[in-house]
Amino acid sequence: PLIYDEPGDVRILGSMAGLELVEGRRSKKPAAAQAAQAVAHALQRGVMATNLGGTYHNVIKMSPPLVITWAQLDAALDIL
């Protein structure tokens, strides 16, 4: 499984969220390859997300439906 403990930033507006992946909090070097790998991993497990966000494609974007249940949301976040 992928383990990524240090996101660069998390942005939330309404039900939309963006998780920015960087290679180091100090350097803030975009981690586009890791974002693409995380999106592919999530999709294989039934969670739709995209890494087309941000200038460097290192932001995982998620926008769950408004009718999502807490159980579904927990499961999706566990996968991510």
Side-chain angles (χ1 to χ4, degrees):
L2 301 174
I3 298 175
Y4 204 86
D5 290 334
E6 296 190 27
D9 192 22
V10 176
R11 297 182 279 279
I12 301 171
L13 180 62
S15 67
M16 296 183 299
L19 175 64
E20 179 184 16
L21 299 186
V22 294
E23 292 184 9
R25 284 191 187 221
R26 289 184 187 261
S27 73
K28 295 274 188 176
K29 182 178 176 188
Q34 291 90 335
Q37 187 178 12
V39 167
H41 172 84
L43 186 57
Q44 289 173 350
R45 286 153 184 79
V47 175
M48 293 177 60
T50 180
N51 66 314
L52 297 178
T55 303
Y56 305 103
H57 304 292
N58 65 319
V59 178
I60 300 172
K61 297 188 315 181
M62 300 156 282
S63 184
L66 295 176
V67 296
I68 194 167
T69 66
W70 286 109
Q72 291 169 326
L73 185 58
D74 285 341
L77 291 175
D78 284 343
I79 289 169
L80 287 170

